[in-house]
mmCIF file of all heavy atoms in Angstrom:
data_model
loop_
_atom_site.group_PDB
_atom_site.id
_atom_site.type_symbol
_atom_site.label_atom_id
_atom_site.label_comp_id
_atom_site.label_asym_id
_atom_site.label_seq_id
_atom_site.Cartn_x
_atom_site.Cartn_y
_atom_site.Cartn_z
ATOM 1 N N GLY H 232 -13.682 11.913 -6.763
ATOM 2 C CA GLY H 232 -14.777 11.727 -5.803
ATOM 3 C C GLY H 232 -15.765 10.619 -6.213
ATOM 4 O O GLY H 232 -16.776 10.412 -5.552
ATOM 5 N N ARG H 233 -15.415 9.834 -7.241
ATOM 6 C CA ARG H 233 -16.249 8.693 -7.649
ATOM 7 C C ARG H 233 -15.465 7.381 -7.554
ATOM 8 O O ARG H 233 -14.245 7.383 -7.777
ATOM 9 C CB ARG H 233 -16.632 8.783 -9.127
ATOM 10 C CG ARG H 233 -17.582 9.878 -9.469
ATOM 11 C CD ARG H 233 -17.843 9.900 -11.018
ATOM 12 N NE ARG H 233 -18.352 11.105 -11.441
ATOM 13 C CZ ARG H 233 -19.706 11.444 -11.282
ATOM 14 N NH1 ARG H 233 -20.529 10.580 -10.739
ATOM 15 N NH2 ARG H 233 -20.106 12.631 -11.651
ATOM 16 N N VAL H 234 -16.197 6.344 -7.299
ATOM 17 C CA VAL H 234 -15.609 4.971 -7.315
ATOM 18 C C VAL H 234 -15.423 4.581 -8.760
ATOM 19 O O VAL H 234 -16.429 4.487 -9.489
ATOM 20 C CB VAL H 234 -16.416 3.975 -6.541
ATOM 21 C CG1 VAL H 234 -15.858 2.555 -6.695
ATOM 22 C CG2 VAL H 234 -16.574 4.355 -5.090
ATOM 23 N N VAL H 235 -14.218 4.381 -9.191
ATOM 24 C CA VAL H 235 -13.934 3.995 -10.581
ATOM 25 C C VAL H 235 -13.512 2.553 -10.716
ATOM 26 O O VAL H 235 -13.372 2.028 -11.848
ATOM 27 C CB VAL H 235 -12.905 4.943 -11.261
ATOM 28 C CG1 VAL H 235 -13.448 6.320 -11.412
ATOM 29 C CG2 VAL H 235 -11.581 4.936 -10.464
ATOM 30 N N HIS H 236 -13.304 1.904 -9.613
ATOM 31 C CA HIS H 236 -12.942 0.467 -9.644
ATOM 32 C C HIS H 236 -13.259 -0.174 -8.296
ATOM 33 O O HIS H 236 -13.070 0.465 -7.240
ATOM 34 C CB HIS H 236 -11.471 0.310 -9.920
ATOM 35 C CG HIS H 236 -11.003 -1.128 -9.772
ATOM 36 N ND1 HIS H 236 -11.004 -1.996 -10.880
ATOM 37 C CD2 HIS H 236 -10.531 -1.829 -8.714
ATOM 38 C CE1 HIS H 236 -10.614 -3.213 -10.431
ATOM 39 N NE2 HIS H 236 -10.298 -3.117 -9.229
ATOM 40 N N ALA H 237 -13.809 -1.375 -8.315
ATOM 41 C CA ALA H 237 -14.024 -2.126 -7.081
ATOM 42 C C ALA H 237 -13.726 -3.600 -7.400
ATOM 43 O O ALA H 237 -14.172 -4.109 -8.436
ATOM 44 C CB ALA H 237 -15.432 -1.985 -6.591
ATOM 45 N N GLY H 238 -12.985 -4.282 -6.570
ATOM 46 C CA GLY H 238 -12.728 -5.716 -6.856
ATOM 47 C C GLY H 238 -11.729 -6.310 -5.889
ATOM 48 O O GLY H 238 -11.181 -5.593 -5.003
ATOM 49 N N PRO H 239 -11.427 -7.609 -6.072
ATOM 50 C CA PRO H 239 -10.457 -8.232 -5.167
ATOM 51 C C PRO H 239 -9.086 -7.630 -5.291
ATOM 52 O O PRO H 239 -8.636 -7.251 -6.402
ATOM 53 C CB PRO H 239 -10.423 -9.713 -5.732
ATOM 54 C CG PRO H 239 -11.645 -9.892 -6.545
ATOM 55 C CD PRO H 239 -11.982 -8.502 -7.090
ATOM 56 N N ALA H 240 -8.426 -7.536 -4.170
ATOM 57 C CA ALA H 240 -7.064 -6.832 -4.107
ATOM 58 C C ALA H 240 -6.093 -7.621 -4.954
ATOM 59 O O ALA H 240 -5.301 -6.996 -5.688
ATOM 60 C CB ALA H 240 -6.640 -6.723 -2.657
ATOM 61 N N ALA H 241 -6.097 -8.964 -4.895
ATOM 62 C CA ALA H 241 -5.082 -9.765 -5.568
ATOM 63 C C ALA H 241 -5.203 -9.543 -7.101
ATOM 64 O O ALA H 241 -4.234 -9.485 -7.798
ATOM 65 C CB ALA H 241 -5.274 -11.212 -5.214
ATOM 66 N N GLU H 242 -6.442 -9.437 -7.543
ATOM 67 C CA GLU H 242 -6.698 -9.256 -8.989
ATOM 68 C C GLU H 242 -6.075 -7.935 -9.483
ATOM 69 O O GLU H 242 -5.426 -7.828 -10.503
ATOM 70 C CB GLU H 242 -8.218 -9.227 -9.191
ATOM 71 C CG GLU H 242 -8.649 -9.786 -10.469
ATOM 72 C CD GLU H 242 -10.152 -9.886 -10.465
ATOM 73 O OE1 GLU H 242 -10.713 -10.875 -9.871
ATOM 74 O OE2 GLU H 242 -10.805 -8.967 -10.984
ATOM 75 N N LEU H 243 -6.306 -6.838 -8.698
ATOM 76 C CA LEU H 243 -5.809 -5.555 -9.082
ATOM 77 C C LEU H 243 -4.263 -5.502 -8.986
ATOM 78 O O LEU H 243 -3.586 -4.962 -9.832
ATOM 79 C CB LEU H 243 -6.450 -4.471 -8.188
ATOM 80 C CG LEU H 243 -6.126 -2.998 -8.527
ATOM 81 C CD1 LEU H 243 -6.536 -2.680 -9.994
ATOM 82 C CD2 LEU H 243 -6.808 -2.040 -7.556
ATOM 83 N N ALA H 244 -3.727 -6.146 -7.901
ATOM 84 C CA ALA H 244 -2.306 -6.164 -7.676
ATOM 85 C C ALA H 244 -1.555 -6.840 -8.855
ATOM 86 O O ALA H 244 -0.456 -6.429 -9.201
ATOM 87 C CB ALA H 244 -1.957 -6.850 -6.405
ATOM 88 N N ALA H 245 -2.250 -7.824 -9.472
ATOM 89 C CA ALA H 245 -1.602 -8.539 -10.552
ATOM 90 C C ALA H 245 -1.717 -7.802 -11.902
ATOM 91 O O ALA H 245 -1.125 -8.229 -12.876
ATOM 92 C CB ALA H 245 -2.305 -9.904 -10.656
ATOM 93 N N ASP H 246 -2.488 -6.696 -11.902
ATOM 94 C CA ASP H 246 -2.705 -6.047 -13.171
ATOM 95 C C ASP H 246 -2.109 -4.617 -13.148
ATOM 96 O O ASP H 246 -2.832 -3.633 -12.928
ATOM 97 C CB ASP H 246 -4.239 -5.998 -13.408
ATOM 98 C CG ASP H 246 -4.584 -5.541 -14.826
ATOM 99 O OD1 ASP H 246 -3.667 -5.028 -15.545
ATOM 100 O OD2 ASP H 246 -5.746 -5.731 -15.222
ATOM 101 N N ARG H 247 -0.842 -4.507 -13.308
ATOM 102 C CA ARG H 247 -0.150 -3.199 -13.174
ATOM 103 C C ARG H 247 -0.624 -2.225 -14.213
ATOM 104 O O ARG H 247 -0.712 -1.030 -13.894
ATOM 105 C CB ARG H 247 1.419 -3.411 -13.353
ATOM 106 C CG ARG H 247 2.037 -4.401 -12.414
ATOM 107 C CD ARG H 247 2.090 -3.812 -11.048
ATOM 108 N NE ARG H 247 2.206 -4.920 -10.042
ATOM 109 C CZ ARG H 247 3.367 -5.315 -9.497
ATOM 110 N NH1 ARG H 247 4.489 -4.699 -9.834
ATOM 111 N NH2 ARG H 247 3.400 -6.315 -8.663
ATOM 112 N N ASP H 248 -1.012 -2.689 -15.389
ATOM 113 C CA ASP H 248 -1.501 -1.757 -16.391
ATOM 114 C C ASP H 248 -2.776 -1.118 -15.907
ATOM 115 O O ASP H 248 -3.011 0.094 -16.108
ATOM 116 C CB ASP H 248 -1.770 -2.457 -17.695
ATOM 117 C CG ASP H 248 -0.459 -2.868 -18.387
ATOM 118 O OD1 ASP H 248 0.551 -2.262 -18.036
ATOM 119 O OD2 ASP H 248 -0.475 -3.794 -19.226
ATOM 120 N N ARG H 249 -3.583 -1.931 -15.288
ATOM 121 C CA ARG H 249 -4.882 -1.357 -14.806
ATOM 122 C C ARG H 249 -4.575 -0.356 -13.679
ATOM 123 O O ARG H 249 -5.282 0.707 -13.601
ATOM 124 C CB ARG H 249 -5.750 -2.512 -14.287
ATOM 125 C CG ARG H 249 -7.085 -2.052 -13.831
ATOM 126 C CD ARG H 249 -8.233 -3.039 -14.292
ATOM 127 N NE ARG H 249 -9.527 -2.570 -13.798
ATOM 128 C CZ ARG H 249 -10.244 -1.684 -14.509
ATOM 129 N NH1 ARG H 249 -9.845 -1.189 -15.665
ATOM 130 N NH2 ARG H 249 -11.375 -1.305 -14.044
ATOM 131 N N ILE H 250 -3.664 -0.658 -12.807
ATOM 132 C CA ILE H 250 -3.339 0.323 -11.723
ATOM 133 C C ILE H 250 -2.855 1.592 -12.322
ATOM 134 O O ILE H 250 -3.301 2.694 -11.949
ATOM 135 C CB ILE H 250 -2.303 -0.267 -10.719
ATOM 136 C CG1 ILE H 250 -2.856 -1.522 -10.045
ATOM 137 C CG2 ILE H 250 -1.916 0.782 -9.691
ATOM 138 C CD1 ILE H 250 -1.833 -2.215 -9.111
#
Side-chain angles (χ1 to χ4, degrees):
R233 290 180 198 281
V234 175
V235 292
H236 173 88
E242 214 173 278
L243 186 57
D246 192 347
R247 303 289 159 96
D248 288 341
R249 184 139 180 85
I250 297 177

